[in-house]
Amino acid sequence: MKVPLLEIFSSVQGEGPLVGYRQLFLRLAGCNLNCRYCDTKHAVSCGKCKIEKKAGSSNFEYISTPLEIDKLLQIIQENYDLNKHHSVSITGGEPLIHYEILKILLPKIKKLTKSIFLETNGTLPGELQEVLKFIDFISMDIKLPSAAKISPCWESHRKFLRAALSREIYLYIKIVVSSNTVEEELKTACKLIKDEAPGIPLIIQPVTPHNSVKAPTTRQLLKWQEMLLDYLNDVRIIPQTHRALGLL
Ligand code: SF4
């Protein structure tokens, strides 16, 4: 089975409560959603993947993708010291659309690293269940239709949350907000979290502005945090820090 790899690089986790940890990022192609603010639109297969062997160098080697699992493992072992990485981050796109490949790949990666971190849009609960036993950390999005400009995903988010909580795992939820975020949607998301997992951290992540997508104001952010704290105990505002640092 071949892996639809798009990028592999060593960098720093730039979002959420694990910000600052060193991770090896494996970015897979493709997604089941099409969010307006997506910053990984390039996450579609183009026949080549980028490998940054020296962290921070921006010197990339390009090889054909998809590539064999053994080839990917060889690249990891030859180029990165996983003892110095908190975890291997499986990201995308939406990595869970490739759950059949992940079922074979993740146990092999698990032998090389301390932990596996999954970054997901939180809409594919059945696929999560297939690979949950290999995962140690989950960063789950809840998508607000107004900000993402997609159809509501409330029920798939609810099912995903239930699936994720069926195993003891470090899980946090991230909601990207923009200047146009609808408060009612934020409340709906919060009630959903309160119903299923009131103790888990909720990260409000202001969108990094681009094209016509504007970041919320400071006043909006603080107002929304206060509003959400009526429902949950752990609500934090954390922007994308890797962008500020010019990291991948
Ligand atoms: S879920 Fe993530 S990768 Fe997929 S379109 Fe939305 S922002 Fe982009």
Side-chain angles (χ1 to χ4, degrees):
M1 229 174 215
K2 290 188 171 181
V3 186
L5 185 75
L6 273 185
E7 291 180 333
I8 179 166
F9 57 94
S10 168
S11 189
V12 168
Q13 175 55 241
E15 299 179 351
L18 301 185
V19 70
Y21 278 120
R22 190 69 175 261
Q23 291 184 322
L24 182 68
F25 292 84
L26 304 186
R27 187 183 303 287
L28 306 188
C31 185
N32 59 322
L33 299 180
N34 186 20
C35 307
R36 184 178 66 148
Y37 51 68
C38 183
D39 59 2
T40 54
K41 289 274 191 207
H42 63 287
V44 292
S45 184
C46 56
K48 294 280 176 198
C49 67
K50 287 162 68 173
I51 301 170
E52 190 192 45
K53 292 184 173 173
K54 192 161 186 198
S57 69
S58 291
N59 286 329
F60 298 101
E61 190 179 308
Y62 291 82
I63 64 166
S64 293
T65 191
L67 73 169
E68 295 291 346
I69 286 178
D70 285 348
K71 175 72 180 167
L72 173 56
L73 296 172
Q74 185 191 344
I75 290 169
I76 293 173
Q77 285 177 294
E78 286 180 357
N79 295 288
Y80 308 100
D81 180 356
L82 288 183
N83 286 322
K84 294 182 179 170
H85 290 74
H86 167 269
S87 45
V88 172
S89 174
I90 311 294
T91 186
E94 173 48 57
L96 287 175
I97 64 173
H98 306 294
Y99 72 95
E100 286 181 331
I101 298 163
L102 294 178
K103 273 166 79 171
I104 300 168
L105 176 64
L106 295 187
K108 293 178 188 282
I109 290 184
K110 194 96 180 163
K111 289 185 183 153
L112 306 176
T113 180
K114 296 174 204 144
S115 308
I116 293 180
F117 176 102
L118 175 71
E119 187 172 1
T120 171
N121 63 30
T123 60
L124 299 174
E127 289 81 345
L128 175 70
Q129 269 165 339
E130 296 283 335
V131 297
L132 189 60
K133 65 180 173 192
F134 307 117
I135 293 167
D136 304 286
F137 296 86
I138 297 182
S139 169
M140 171 195 172
D141 285 352
I142 285 189
K143 298 289 182 188
L144 300 186
S146 60
K149 295 282 180 224
I150 57 170
S151 303
C153 303
W154 304 125
E155 270 322 292
S156 48
H157 284 321
R158 187 183 294 280
K159 287 179 186 157
F160 188 96
L161 206 40
R162 284 180 186 165
L165 293 167
S166 67
R167 188 171 164 252
E168 203 163 314
I169 211 163
Y170 185 95
L171 168 71
Y172 67 88
I173 294 176
K174 188 180 77 189
I175 298 181
V176 176
V177 290
S178 72
S179 61
N180 293 324
T181 289
V182 175
E183 285 185 10
E184 277 313 304
E185 290 181 0
L186 269 177
K187 282 187 193 165
T188 302
C190 240
K191 285 177 191 159
L192 191 158
I193 299 167
K194 190 179 178 197
D195 286 350
E196 305 296 333
I200 63 175
L202 170 61
I203 311 303
I204 304 172
Q205 181 174 292
V207 71
T208 300
H210 66 282
N211 300 331
S212 60
V213 185
K214 292 202 179 97
T217 63
T218 314
R219 267 180 83 173
Q220 279 178 307
L221 285 170
L222 293 175
K223 182 181 170 207
W224 293 337
Q225 187 182 36
E226 277 179 33
M227 183 181 85
L228 300 182
L229 283 166
D230 283 339
Y231 300 87
L232 303 169
N233 291 329
D234 191 351
V235 182
R236 314 179 205 176
I237 299 170
I238 306 178
Q240 285 187 306
T241 62
H242 57 296
R243 303 244 165 235
L245 294 170
L247 293 166
L248 286 174

